[in-house]
Amino acid sequence: MEINPLGLISAAIAFLSIWIGHVSVRKIEAITVALWKPMTILITFGLALEYAALSVSNQSLAAVFGILGVTLLWDAFEIKRQAHRVRKGHAPANPNNTRHAAMLAEPNSRATTLNILNRYPIGRAVDPEEAVRLITSH
Amino acid sequence: MNAFGLIVGVATLLIIGLGFPLVIQGERRFGYLWWPYMLGIGILIIGISLFVPVDWLSVVIGALGATFVWGSTELKEQAIRAEVGWFPFNANKIKPPFEAIIQRWKAPHL
């Protein structure tokens, strides 16, 4: 039986691009004040990769460009979603970023500099005070 | 013009989108300790894609496998999201086989 490497190539590029995208989106959103700049760059590269996917005749290369392109387009959207998470306190705010500092200073702000997810699960529901205690008490 | 890349790109995006409910529901019903099984299923699915002669189907199956592998690395954080009340918490989860052994392993997170 002949081996078809296309699925493996696609899986590898999908996994790596999700991983790198996931880490980069959090980092870029945390250090950037004007989010439209990285979003514009991501959308431009995403569309360019889709155009490249349409232009090449090699199936493996077309799949790599096609998958990488849509993940970059998705990452542009994720930058907005990440900013929303920071506002809700679901991701840590960076006080050195003036956009985040403004979120932290808002009246009744839910934003926090703490990363609530930075611990191991304990197997039961916790209230907001305990959620903070669990990540700060050790 | 070769539409193959664009089509499989969009298909991959939709399959990755399935990863969100997969992780949310999987963690709620089974718990994060199922992560080695989810990782294994993902690797198995990617392995199957090698024997699929139809190009687009091989890509779709490969992307599905990658979604399971990625999902296995998201279960731990999802468990905490449920514990802190961002998602519904289910106390009566179905325990995985070899739970005691898995508990000693560090759950992956990327």
Side-chain angles (χ1 to χ4, degrees):
Chain A
M1 193 175 212
E2 208 168 310
I3 295 284
N4 186 355
L6 261 182
L8 179 62
I9 292 167
S10 306
I13 199 74
F15 183 80
L16 288 175
S17 62
I18 297 170
W19 181 5
I20 295 166
H22 184 72
V23 174
S24 309
V25 161
R26 285 182 288 186
K27 196 109 200 151
I28 291 167
E29 195 282 333
I31 60 171
T32 309
V33 177
L35 293 182
W36 66 269
K37 289 178 188 171
M39 288 175 74
T40 306
I41 294 168
L42 284 166
I43 291 168
T44 307
F45 276 97
L47 291 176
L49 278 163
E50 292 308 326
Y51 181 75
L54 288 170
S55 310
V56 294
S57 53
N58 181 292
Q59 295 292 78
S60 300
L61 217 50
V64 167
F65 289 161
I67 293 168
L68 202 55
V70 291
T71 53
L72 289 188
L73 293 171
W74 181 259
D75 286 341
F77 179 53
E78 274 293 326
I79 285 185
K80 266 279 182 235
R81 281 167 46 105
Q82 179 67 9
H84 192 58
R85 286 184 206 112
V86 173
R87 182 175 294 277
K88 288 199 297 182
H90 290 193
N94 169 17
N96 299 321
N97 181 330
T98 52
R99 188 172 47 77
H100 283 191
M103 283 184 198
L104 289 162
E106 280 171 16
N108 305 319
S109 171
R110 285 151 71 194
T112 172
T113 54
L114 299 170
N115 182 1
I116 297 294
L117 301 179
N118 189 25
R119 64 172 173 88
Y120 242 72
I122 56 169
R124 61 175 172 81
V126 298
D127 60 36
E129 287 77 29
E130 191 179 7
V132 170
R133 216 164 43 241
L134 282 166
I135 56 161
T136 52
S137 64
H138 49 83
Chain B
M1 203 175 85
N2 179 9
F4 180 76
L6 183 63
I7 292 167
V8 299
V10 173
T12 301
L13 186 70
L14 296 176
I15 293 163
I16 295 167
L18 288 177
F20 284 89
L22 184 74
V23 168
I24 293 166
Q25 294 295 329
E27 193 286 323
R28 189 176 304 163
R29 285 159 211 275
F30 298 98
Y32 81 101
L33 290 171
W34 283 81
W35 70 262
Y37 298 98
M38 197 167 178
L39 179 65
I41 290 168
I43 292 169
L44 191 70
I45 294 172
I46 295 169
I48 290 168
S49 78
L50 289 170
F51 301 99
V52 176
V54 183
D55 282 350
W56 70 266
L57 194 57
S58 179
V59 172
V60 165
I61 293 171
L64 185 67
T67 299
F68 271 80
V69 173
W70 176 257
S72 76
T73 73
E74 275 292 312
L75 285 176
K76 192 202 84 169
E77 278 209 346
Q78 182 59 29
I80 300 166
R81 290 187 197 110
E83 285 182 4
V84 299
W86 299 346
F87 286 85
F89 180 81
N90 170 25
N92 302 310
K93 297 184 175 76
I94 300 165
K95 291 184 187 328
F98 308 108
E99 186 190 20
I101 297 169
I102 298 167
Q103 262 167 348
R104 277 186 254 134
W105 298 345
K106 194 177 173 334
H109 176 65
L110 303 174

